[in-house]
Amino acid sequence: MVDRPLARALTPLPEESLPGLLLRLAYRMERSPARVALLCGLIHHQNRLPDEYLFSVPSGRVGSFAAAARLSADEAKALTLSSFAAAYPPLASVRIDGSRNTTAARKLWAASLSSRYCSICLSGDGSPVQSLYGGPWKLRWHLPVSFACVAHRSLLSHTCPHCGGMPNRPESTERQGLIMNRTTSGLHPAQCRRLAPDTHGIPAAGCAARLGQGRQVAPAPEADMRTLVALQHRIDQRLGRGQPSADTAQSAFDRYFFPDLVVAAHLIRLSWPDGAQFASSTSLADLIDRHVSSTAARHAAPAPGPRTPTIWDPPESPAECAALLGAADSLLGREERGDARMTDRVGALAAAAFGRSPATIGAALRRMDVSPAMARALACHSQGFYRAAGHRHARQRIPSRQGRFGVEHVPALLPQVWLSAHFDVLLSRWGHRSGWKVRHLRRVSALKLAEMGGGGAWPDCAKTLGIPWNTAQQSLKVIRHELNSQDLWSDFQRAVESVASHLDDRTDRVHYERRRERLACWRIPAGDWGELCRGLAQFGQGATSPTRETATVLIWAHVTQGDHLHSPVLGALRESGCSSQRLVASINQLRAPANRKGDKRELLRRLDTYSGLLSAVCDQPVASL
């Protein structure tokens, strides 16, 4: 390892990048960047200056580099994009090591090896050191979300004004490194390092044009510049926040600011020209249109040479990137992010985008770690529910509605009192309904509430509520047929939303999940069963006579608001291979309306009273059952 300090050193300029510092050191020492990197211990064993060092310098090399460059370890790390990883989530999603190039980094909007630049910043601020060696190559210029210089109120450049090439982007298939033509010495840090081809197309001499003294980017209209500079200012503010805020809500907003912005940019492109309405001016819409058209043309007829940009890559042109991000920001809404209106806007554009794209594109976007509101907008729906096949690849299970109740507050069957209070309009319009169909409606409504409160497709919701998959599927089949045939879907949606609003407003919500857990192995004690039967005429010993198991099942169904057929007692009988027919017949006989008289009616009343007492015990923080 290299421990000896360089004969000459430079203090890093504010926001300077590692390649920028190496270029300034090389110019001051009159050596090539490759030689300086070797002296700093940064040359790879294959005699390469690895491009992944832009993201982070390996821990085993940080010490020698810092010692050679006369820096502290923190100053050395601050030269890499790792300093932005906490504020810019796309960087954290990219794994960079010696076995991979950085193509994935660009695809994921993490960074580009070819830096954008502000020519005024590169020319220096007039101080002695910057007059000699130029201004800093800023680290953030490698990020796709940096498209303008706020200090000089101008768009960044991305190509050399003389040769038209991109800094550090080789024309050939040569492996990209941290610095282009690293063995060439004598060039000012702000000079173009590209090799200009001769008349035969063979690289012969370096371009060497001064990037800091070239022509400025064509200015955008003043109104557009105000909009874009304001957006860049907000982006820069968030890039400067190294650690999450102590405010939970603000921390979540900051965490998802960039992932949501990137996904919104993808949706603008994929749905174009539907997304043109979110461009703030015709000139910005024209820039997006130019980008979309050129990307489509390159895909249709890929040219030989460097890799053809994909639909996942950010625009190379800062102006086109600025226009696209401006439209994405408008789609999300500056003050409305996370609310229902934003979800509706994004959802409508997502439907248009996915309808024109392969299914794999929609699945890839849903796998991204975005905000709950964005995830809801991206999720596929089919007849009122998250689509089972389209939701399983989502990065997270997202409630389909933003509310205060959770899936733990949802029973397996919609309680009869909720049905009467919120489904009166639907039931009044539902012709030819039966008790059997209404039971399916109660189950499907519970599935929808579980999706609203906990997320996931209906199989996930069914599993959470303890409903067998085939039972849930059959109920959905029946209810979808009924609602479609009678045009009642809007009534169903309004009714379930009314129940959800009711649950949101209540502070005494029942924790049905805890009740199910606590009664999973419960049986009514023999003494309690004896007390329930005290004073009643002895029931016969026939197959349908009430038993202790009958009472256990009915009490479980009352307390959990579940289907008695899915009770733990009946489930255990089926798993053991025993017949459940006798117990089911006993339950049906006791519950039959025609038999609710005399001692049977009294027994049912006592069971209801007992269920109420047991419910109160289950709702206590600690219960002994």
Side-chain angles (χ1 to χ4, degrees):
M1 303 300 290
V2 179
D3 296 318
R4 189 170 60 182
L6 297 176
R8 303 174 185 175
L10 286 170
T11 302
L13 298 175
E15 299 187 47
E16 187 168 25
S17 67
L18 175 60
L21 178 64
L22 292 177
L23 288 173
R24 289 200 306 127
L25 284 171
Y27 188 65
R28 185 183 186 194
M29 297 175 64
E30 299 180 351
R31 297 290 186 271
S32 70
R35 178 59 180 167
V36 173
L38 179 64
L39 295 174
C40 290
L42 296 177
I43 291 296
H44 195 268
H45 67 275
Q46 296 176 341
N47 200 32
R48 292 180 49 245
L49 180 54
D51 47 18
E52 55 262 27
Y53 286 3
L54 175 66
F55 294 84
S56 65
V57 177
S59 57
R61 294 180 181 266
V62 169
S64 59
F65 166 54
R70 304 185 186 188
L71 305 174
S72 68
D74 288 341
E75 286 176 323
K77 293 176 182 178
L79 296 167
T80 67
L81 289 172
S82 62
S83 59
F84 285 124
Y88 190 61
L91 283 171
S93 65
V94 179
R95 179 178 65 86
I96 300 295
D97 55 40
S99 65
R100 294 184 57 177
N101 59 30
T102 50
T103 299
R106 179 169 176 80
K107 177 180 177 181
L108 296 176
W109 283 61
S112 172
L113 265 294
S114 181
S115 175
R116 295 169 180 169
Y117 65 93
C118 169
S119 59
I120 303 178
C121 289
L122 280 186
S123 65
D125 60 3
S127 64
V129 67
Q130 294 197 29
S131 295
L132 287 173
Y133 308 117
W137 280 94
K138 294 186 178 181
L139 195 57
R140 69 179 61 203
W141 289 344
H142 288 276
L143 301 179
V145 293
S146 290
F147 50 80
C149 177
V150 175
H152 300 115
R153 295 186 58 80
S154 64
L155 293 174
L156 300 180
S157 301
H158 73 297
T159 58
C160 171
H162 182 262
C163 70
M166 296 176 63
N168 215 36
R169 177 71 64 83
E171 293 289 353
S172 66
T173 56
E174 178 187 354
R175 186 180 178 94
Q176 195 169 358
L178 187 66
I179 295 176
M180 177 178 285
N181 296 322
R182 62 187 180 277
T183 58
T184 301
S185 60
L187 291 178
H188 186 276
Q191 280 185 283
C192 177
R193 304 186 67 85
R194 297 184 65 85
L195 293 178
D198 60 15
T199 55
H200 301 289
I202 301 174
C207 171
R210 284 290 288 266
L211 302 177
Q213 296 177 355
R215 57 179 172 79
Q216 296 294 310
V217 177
E222 180 58 29
D224 290 345
M225 278 309 305
R226 284 197 300 270
T227 300
L228 298 179
V229 169
L231 174 59
Q232 186 68 72
H233 179 67
R234 288 192 285 123
I235 288 174
D236 289 349
Q237 284 183 316
R238 282 173 172 78
L239 290 175
R241 297 174 185 172
Q243 297 298 327
S245 168
D247 182 348
T248 304
Q250 183 63 40
S251 177
F253 183 86
D254 290 340
R255 173 189 173 188
Y256 293 120
F257 178 85
F258 289 114
D260 282 6
L261 188 65
V262 170
V263 170
H266 283 309
L267 293 178
I268 294 288
R269 289 195 296 192
L270 293 170
S271 65
W272 194 261
D274 292 30
Q277 59 182 305
F278 298 104
S280 59
S281 71
T282 304
S283 57
L284 293 180
D286 289 343
L287 286 170
I288 302 174
D289 188 72
R290 185 175 72 188
H291 165 66
V292 173
S293 300
S294 62
T295 301
R298 287 196 297 264
H299 259 284
R307 179 186 64 92
T308 301
T310 71
I311 61 170
W312 298 109
D313 292 344
E316 293 178 339
S317 163
E320 293 176 2
C321 194
L324 182 62
L325 290 175
D329 185 62
S330 178
L331 169 63
L332 295 174
R334 185 173 176 183
E335 303 297 337
E336 302 170 0
R337 296 190 182 186
D339 71 2
R341 287 176 294 177
M342 186 276 277
T343 303
D344 290 342
R345 288 196 305 273
V346 174
L349 211 60
F354 298 159
R356 304 170 191 172
S357 309
T360 52
I361 289 180
L365 289 177
R366 283 188 287 273
R367 282 194 293 268
M368 294 184 179
D369 188 15
V370 294
S371 68
M374 176 63 78
R376 277 191 290 270
L378 296 177
C380 293
H381 292 79
S382 176
Q383 292 186 306
F385 285 82
Y386 280 146
R387 188 185 301 168
H391 192 68
R392 70 177 61 159
H393 298 300
R395 186 67 174 259
Q396 49 191 325
R397 284 180 61 173
I398 297 298
S400 61
R401 175 185 179 276
Q402 190 173 15
R404 289 184 288 274
F405 77 94
V407 67
E408 66 274 12
H409 303 121
V410 180
L413 281 176
L414 195 76
Q416 188 65 48
V417 64
W418 295 1
L419 189 76
S420 302
H422 303 281
F423 283 75
D424 53 338
V425 174
L426 186 150
L427 293 174
S428 67
R429 298 185 58 198
W430 190 356
H432 311 293
R433 73 175 186 270
S434 64
W436 174 75
K437 291 180 181 179
V438 170
R439 192 169 187 81
H440 283 303
L441 176 65
R442 293 172 61 195
R443 183 174 294 119
V444 169
S445 301
L447 290 173
K448 184 60 182 178
L449 286 171
E451 179 202 274
M452 288 176 162
W458 68 260
D460 304 312
C461 298
K463 183 177 181 180
T464 300
L465 299 182
I467 303 172
W469 182 88
N470 57 341
T471 301
Q473 184 187 49
Q474 178 62 22
S475 291
L476 282 167
K477 180 180 178 181
V478 170
I479 294 305
R480 281 172 170 168
H481 176 266
E482 292 293 323
L483 298 184
N484 285 331
S485 63
Q486 301 182 56
D487 194 23
L488 296 177
W489 267 114
S490 58
D491 291 325
F492 173 80
Q493 296 282 12
R494 282 192 291 269
V496 178
E497 175 61 32
S498 177
V499 176
S501 298
H502 170 71
L503 287 174
D504 279 343
D505 294 338
R506 293 189 60 173
T507 57
D508 58 343
R509 290 183 287 268
V510 175
H511 200 302
Y512 286 103
E513 183 178 44
R514 182 165 57 215
R515 289 187 178 186
R516 289 191 291 267
E517 290 174 353
R518 292 183 172 178
L519 296 186
C521 300
W522 178 82
R523 300 292 185 275
I524 185 171
D528 290 355
W529 171 238
E531 286 295 323
L532 288 173
C533 295
R534 183 182 298 277
L536 302 179
Q538 291 296 316
F539 296 110
Q541 299 302 313
T544 60
S545 296
T547 63
R548 181 183 168 193
E549 287 71 24
T550 305
T552 298
V553 171
L554 290 176
I555 292 170
W556 176 90
H558 189 284
V559 173
T560 66
Q561 288 297 302
D563 192 325
H564 69 275
L565 294 175
H566 307 146
S567 64
V569 172
L570 284 169
L573 281 176
R574 298 186 190 101
E575 289 181 5
S576 65
C578 299
S579 173
S580 60
Q581 183 176 0
R582 182 171 180 173
L583 179 55
V584 172
S586 172
I587 295 169
N588 291 338
Q589 180 71 13
L590 187 61
R591 296 178 64 189
N595 295 328
R596 292 184 181 179
K597 54 188 177 182
D599 287 345
K600 289 185 177 180
R601 182 174 63 184
E602 177 61 20
L603 178 59
L604 286 173
R605 187 191 66 79
R606 294 181 183 183
L607 290 175
D608 286 347
T609 301
Y610 188 95
S611 298
L613 296 173
L614 184 59
S615 296
V617 174
C618 287
D619 293 339
Q620 297 300 315
V622 178
S624 299
L625 305 178

